[in-house]
Each structure stands twice: as C-alpha cells, then as structure tokens.
Amino acid sequence: MTHTSRVRLETFVGFLQEHGILPQATRFSFEQQARLQKCAFIAQIGFGLDLGYDYHLHEYGTFSSFLGADFVRIIRKKAVMSGAYIPLSFKAKRFLETVSGRKIDWLCVATVAIHEMRSCDPSTLQSHVEGIAIHYDRRLIRQVLKDIEAALLRPGAHINTVG
C-alpha cells in the first residue's frame, strides 16, 4: 500500500492503544493482528475513517493483506504511535462505544455483518451472515446484528459503500 496508508495506520494503532483496544506494547501476535484487522475494517467502512485499505471477506471476517504487511512494518520499525490526528469524518466516539470491550468473535462477526449490509437485503441479512460466518453461534450473530444496526443505522450514521 502507500506510505500514506501506513502513516494513517500508525495513527489508528496509536488511537486504539490510547483507548485500550490494543495493548500499549505493540508486538506481533495473531490476536493483535486480528483485532486490528477487524477494528480497521469497522472504522473504515462503518464509521468513516479513510485508512485506504481493501478487504477480502472470509468466514472469520474481513482481512487485508496490505494492512497486515503494514502492521508488521510498523512493529519492526518500532514506531512511536499516537492517535493525536484523527480526521473529523471519523465518528470516533461512536466507533469506541461499538467496539470497546468486545471479544474477537464479536469483531469477526461484526465485519461480516457490516460487509454484507452494503449489498444484502435487510430481510435476508441474518441468514446471509449465518451462511458466511458458519463457525459462530447463531445467538452471537443475532446479537452482533442488533448491536451493529443500533450503532450504524441511527441518525448521522452511514455505511461506506466504497471498499
């Protein structure tokens, strides 16, 4: 990806650290990578943060190989990350209210739900998400859909149709 995407990602990682979503000490782990991947997608598509990444949908949620590679570069560089600059277009408070304290399974299902909300009829969304996220409990899927719809479909919210 571009240098700009990596700088934006560094800022976003700092923002997540400042708010306790990622640990302060950034070392590569699959847990941190997965949490970052899911939060980046949710922030970009659901809450208006332009990170500049494209994502692929899998049964465990969305994934960006470029974001993953940039995250490894950031860790190797031992960048000092700060979330000081977050653009006004990013609905940061609503994003934090939505993802704070969530387990990785919730985040995975949420990325599938947000991905599919952009192209799926609302009446078939739950069955569509269940068909993709086959490794997750239906109760979890129903709860995630309820949470995501409450966060994204209230006044002032939007789903980014690009990406």
Side-chain angles (χ1 to χ4, degrees):
M1 256 356 248
T2 67
H3 174 72
T4 303
S5 293
R6 192 171 22 248
V7 169
R8 289 177 186 168
L9 183 64
E10 285 179 16
T11 300
F12 185 61
V13 168
F15 172 80
L16 294 176
Q17 289 174 324
E18 289 170 10
H19 293 283
I21 295 169
L22 284 178
Q24 289 295 322
T26 304
R27 291 186 280 275
F28 182 82
S29 74
F30 290 109
E31 168 71 24
Q32 282 189 33
Q33 168 84 279
R35 185 167 293 281
L36 174 60
Q37 287 275 347
K38 303 327 173 204
C39 286
F41 177 82
I42 292 168
Q44 184 171 322
I45 303 303
F47 294 92
L49 181 62
D50 181 13
L51 292 170
Y53 292 101
D54 293 321
Y55 301 86
H56 302 285
L57 181 64
H58 301 282
E59 64 269 17
Y60 294 105
T62 56
F63 180 82
S64 169
S65 55
F66 288 110
L67 185 151
D70 282 349
F71 184 52
V72 170
R73 284 186 196 99
I74 289 167
I75 291 169
R76 285 186 182 150
K77 179 172 105 170
K78 297 187 187 315
V80 175
M81 291 163 270
S82 167
Y85 172 73
I86 296 293
L88 294 175
S89 61
F90 179 42
K91 309 291 188 269
K93 183 178 180 203
R94 191 174 291 169
F95 167 79
L96 290 170
E97 290 169 352
T98 304
V99 302
S100 291
R102 301 294 187 170
K103 294 184 179 191
I104 195 67
D105 287 354
W106 188 97
L107 294 169
C108 291
V109 173
T111 64
V112 173
I114 291 169
H115 185 276
E116 294 307 295
M117 286 175 98
R118 299 182 302 161
S119 61
C120 187
D121 182 83
S123 66
T124 61
L125 180 61
Q126 181 175 331
S127 63
H128 202 73
V129 171
E130 287 174 357
I132 295 168
I134 59 174
H135 302 288
Y136 299 98
D137 182 77
R138 287 183 175 177
R139 288 178 300 219
L140 173 64
I141 292 171
R142 283 192 299 273
Q143 185 60 54
V144 168
L145 287 171
K146 182 179 171 186
D147 295 340
I148 290 299
E149 288 172 354
L152 297 180
L153 299 179
R154 63 186 188 202
H158 72 284
I159 299 281
N160 184 353
T161 57
V162 179

